[in-house]
Amino acid sequence: MKLATEVTLKLNNGRTIPALGLGTVPSDDPKYVKDQVITAIKAGYRHVDTAWYYGTEKYVGEALKELFDEGVVKREDVFITTKVWPSFWHSPEKSLDQSLKTLGLDYVDLLLQHWPVCLHGDENGQPTQPKDSEGNLKYDDDPAEGTKFIDVYHSLEDILDNTDKVKSIGISNYSIPKLHQLLPKIKKHVPVVNQIEYHPQLPQQDLVDLCNENGIIVEAYSPVGGPGAPVLKLPLVKELAEKYDVSVNEIVDAYQILNGRVALPRSSNLERIKSIIKLPPLTKEELDELYQIGAKNPTRYTNDPWGYGLGFKWWEGDTLSKKFD
Ligand SMILES: NC(=O)c1ccc[n+]([C@@H]2O[C@H](COP(=O)([O-])OP(=O)(O)OC[C@H]3O[C@@H](n4cnc5c(N)ncnc54)[C@H](OP(=O)(O)O)[C@@H]3O)[C@@H](O)[C@H]2O)c1
């Protein structure tokens, strides 16, 4: 059987991205991420997804240093992504510089705008979740109608053009309305990816179609639906795992990869990380059956408040998005 760890996808700038990437949101103490990265790379993964916000860059960096020093992989063999958090929206290059220093790297392969939102952070992006006296998020720009988030993407373009610190730039958590705002304003570089929640229960085909039309690869975060792994309880996922004699995780990642998307699973369980590497050859009909689950009954598991007002469908608690209806 083919290995998911060996599949690469072509980005719109001619570079390639490994289709399976290890997520690094910490489950508990972020220091455990070091062993997770080492385990994944030794098992064949060549792509690690981190972010300034996660607090795990230090441990990703320690893992990479050990792997480089031991000669397991070279820098150019691995694809490293980090992101600029909304409270650091005013200084993307400073955020990147902090990330590079913490990671111990000269460059990242991909820098993403984490959310198309501008939160009120200080010169070091603190606090990361600023609140007003009533406990509501404090913004520097209206999340539904503001346009400062476009300036952030322009800064990423400038970093790409004027430095050697990034190989590619992209976006994350861009809804259809936000993409419609951004795309006509791009200076030169169309984002190579849009990282969004994606799994069989949340296909968001209209958003994926818009990304595809513009050459933007979709990266699927929360491929099992996040903590509790609700997506893995779907009877069809279990049935397919038995049929192909693979793990349930490998079925949901194959659903992404065989459709030309990047899958970003994470696990605090080292044995599980090693068991998420095969690419079962799901048929077109099976891929469609998985798609139909969410097309008929969509379920979103990420409903963070900084996603309010962005125009995502099925975003629980979001009232601002109605402006885009
Ligand atoms: N751009 C963004 O805004 C954004 C948002 C969310 C995530 N992400 C990225 O995407 C990555 C993955 O997303 P996610 O963290 O939401 O993760 P996910 O991979 O959908 O879910 C991980 C959770 O599922 C559990 N799990 C996985 N397989 C399991 C199994 N077979 N049985 C029981 N439990 C299982 C894991 O538990 P164990 O630890 O016990 O395995 C963990 O708690 C993140 O780490 C991050 O890199 C990006």
Side-chain angles (χ1 to χ4, degrees), residues 197 199 201 222-235 237 299 301:
E197 178 179 343
H199 42 71
Q201 289 182 281
S222 302
V224 306
V231 174
L232 300 181
K233 296 180 183 126
L234 294 169
V237 172
T299 308
Y301 292 106

Side-chain angles (χ1 to χ4, degrees), residues 21-27 36 49-51 54 83 85 112-115 172-173 195-197 199 220-230 232 247-249 264-269 272 276 302 304 306:
L22 182 75
T24 61
V25 166
S27 292
Q36 292 160 22
D49 181 84
T50 189
Y54 298 163
K83 314 185 186 92
W85 185 249
L112 302 184
Q113 181 182 5
H114 209 144
W115 292 81
S172 176
N173 295 300
Q195 187 178 121
I196 53 172
E197 178 179 343
H199 42 71
Y221 75 66
S222 302
V224 306
L232 300 181
S247 69
V248 272
N249 299 70
L264 297 172
R266 77 157 161 109
S267 178
S268 56
N269 179 327
R272 187 168 288 146
I276 312 180
T302 301
D304 296 318
W306 43 87

Side-chain angles (χ1 to χ4, degrees), residues 4-11 16-22 44-48 77-80 109 219 257 261-264:
T5 47
E6 291 176 355
V7 179
T8 56
L9 303 172
K10 190 106 185 231
L11 299 172
T16 54
I17 185 169
L20 181 69
L22 182 75
Y45 291 58
R46 290 294 177 265
H47 174 176
V48 179
D77 299 330
V78 286
F79 189 103
I80 310 296
D109 297 273
E219 292 194 329
I257 295 169
R261 300 184 290 263
V262 169
L264 297 172

